[in-house]
Amino acid sequence: MSAKSVEAELNHGVEMFTKYRNLLSELTRKTVKLKYRNSWLGIFWSFLQPLLNMIVLSVVFGALLGRQSKGVICYPVFLFSGRLLYEFFTTSTKQAMTSFRRNSAIIKKVYVPKYMYPFADILSAFVTTSISMLCYVMVWIFFKVTGINGGGGLVFSWRFVLMIIPLVIMLMFSTGVGLILSVLCVYFRDIEYIWDVLMRLLMYLLPILYHIDKLGKGKLAMVVRLNPLYSMIELFRQCVLTGEPMHPRMLIYAFVSAVVMLIVGIIIFNWKSDDLVFQL
């Protein structure tokens, strides 16, 4: 493919995205509303659910994994930090994975760029996570002011605002994974159940409930460190827990992994996008 054809394709993609950006906004808004449409508290669950999860997991695992770990500053906030990014990744990829099947009737009748559907699901999960961030900030302030569970050790600095960087990196990474899964799920329906099991396993492999020092320096710790999600979670914690500068190599590794995953997702999606309608 020549440079001119690549440039023309990119320009066409930008033009189509601009043309349908209002549709993307509406699909995102619709997905957020539908998630809690039959509940009394509605979207307030995006605020309440992560708080309840933090309380339950802190009570269950706090005494076992939190108090004797040198790297843990205020276990409930430490736990909340990891769960926040983990929940965004799992929710966004699961929603994107089934986006074509849920919207198959519309896709067959009306033409819109097909990537709008998984992308809208990922953005809706990002909106929900943004609402959960309000809960996180309130929890952070509570433990900092009261000093409960080592909350006095939390450090507030200007680097707190840099937490948006690992969140955006996570968004890029999740978009790439979501695009790949959305295509795979059209051809292999069982991938939905396999992914659910993998996400449960990932919950315990990532240092969310515990500090990575508990794994020692063996092969398992090395495998966990190679997971880009670990770097993203640790970068987020560096910003909000200790106020330390983000580790340069960890930041580069996370960013490069997200870019590569996004590019791979776009390539696979474009490769199979024309055939998706016939498989639905």
Side-chain angles (χ1 to χ4, degrees):
M1 185 178 292
S2 65
K4 289 185 178 180
S5 61
V6 172
E7 182 180 357
E9 187 173 343
L10 288 174
N11 290 335
H12 177 71
V14 172
E15 181 181 347
M16 293 298 291
F17 183 84
T18 304
K19 179 179 179 180
Y20 289 98
R21 66 181 184 277
N22 291 331
L23 174 63
L24 178 62
S25 177
E26 289 299 321
L27 287 173
T28 303
R29 189 179 295 111
K30 173 189 173 184
T31 304
V32 173
K33 290 181 178 179
L34 288 178
K35 185 175 181 179
Y36 301 109
R37 64 177 176 177
N38 294 323
S39 63
W40 289 355
L41 295 179
I43 201 170
F44 184 67
W45 274 111
S46 298
F47 183 94
L48 186 59
Q49 187 175 11
L51 176 62
L52 296 177
N53 286 334
M54 182 207 70
I55 293 173
V56 172
L57 292 174
S58 295
V59 171
V60 175
F61 295 102
L64 180 63
L65 301 174
R67 293 180 182 176
Q68 298 178 348
S69 297
K70 295 181 180 179
V72 175
I73 301 175
C74 186
Y75 184 74
V77 181
F78 174 88
L79 172 64
F80 202 159
S81 303
R83 284 283 301 180
L84 193 66
L85 272 69
Y86 166 80
E87 284 293 333
F88 167 65
F89 177 74
T90 56
T91 301
S92 61
T93 52
K94 285 180 181 179
Q95 289 183 177
M97 180 168 49
T98 59
S99 58
F100 292 129
R101 286 167 52 189
R102 286 184 283 107
N103 296 283
S104 60
I106 301 176
I107 294 174
K108 293 177 180 179
K109 295 179 181 179
V110 181
Y111 172 78
V112 295
K114 299 179 186 65
Y115 61 79
M116 287 288 178
Y117 296 102
F119 195 36
D121 285 329
I122 294 168
L123 286 180
S124 69
F126 192 75
V127 171
T128 303
T129 301
S130 300
I131 298 172
S132 300
M133 278 298 302
L134 298 175
C135 177
Y136 177 80
V137 171
M138 294 180 65
V139 169
W140 193 99
I141 294 173
F142 170 79
F143 282 101
K144 176 64 177 178
V145 172
T146 61
I148 300 174
N149 281 320
L154 295 171
V155 178
F156 178 76
S157 71
W158 65 270
R159 292 190 179 92
F160 199 93
V161 299
L162 295 180
M163 64 181 178
I164 189 63
I165 295 176
L167 285 174
V168 171
I169 292 175
M170 179 69 82
L171 174 62
M172 294 168 58
F173 187 80
S174 301
T175 301
V177 175
L179 288 174
I180 295 172
L181 290 175
S182 66
V183 173
L184 289 177
C185 196
V186 172
Y187 295 92
F188 310 102
R189 303 296 174 92
D190 292 344
I191 197 71
E192 181 179 353
Y193 308 106
I194 296 173
W195 189 250
D196 187 58
V197 174
L198 290 177
M199 289 301 97
R200 293 176 186 273
L201 177 63
L202 184 66
M203 171 68 183
Y204 298 101
L205 284 179
L206 286 175
I208 296 173
L209 300 172
Y210 55 88
H211 193 270
I212 194 168
D213 289 345
K214 282 191 173 292
L215 298 179
K217 297 182 179 180
K219 293 182 179 180
L220 180 58
M222 184 184 300
V223 171
V224 172
R225 291 179 187 275
L226 288 175
N227 189 334
L229 294 176
Y230 162 75
S231 297
M232 297 170 199
I233 291 173
E234 284 303 305
L235 290 169
F236 183 82
R237 283 173 171 163
Q238 289 170 8
C239 295
V240 300
L241 297 182
T242 63
E244 298 174 352
M246 287 185 287
H247 195 285
R249 284 185 296 180
M250 192 176 289
L251 178 60
I252 293 172
Y253 179 67
F255 179 74
V256 171
S257 299
V259 171
V260 170
M261 183 60 68
L262 182 59
I263 293 174
V264 171
I266 292 173
I267 291 174
I268 293 177
F269 185 84
N270 288 337
W271 176 38
K272 289 294 184 180
S273 60
D274 293 335
D275 186 53
L276 291 177
V277 177
F278 302 103
Q279 299 296 328
L280 290 172

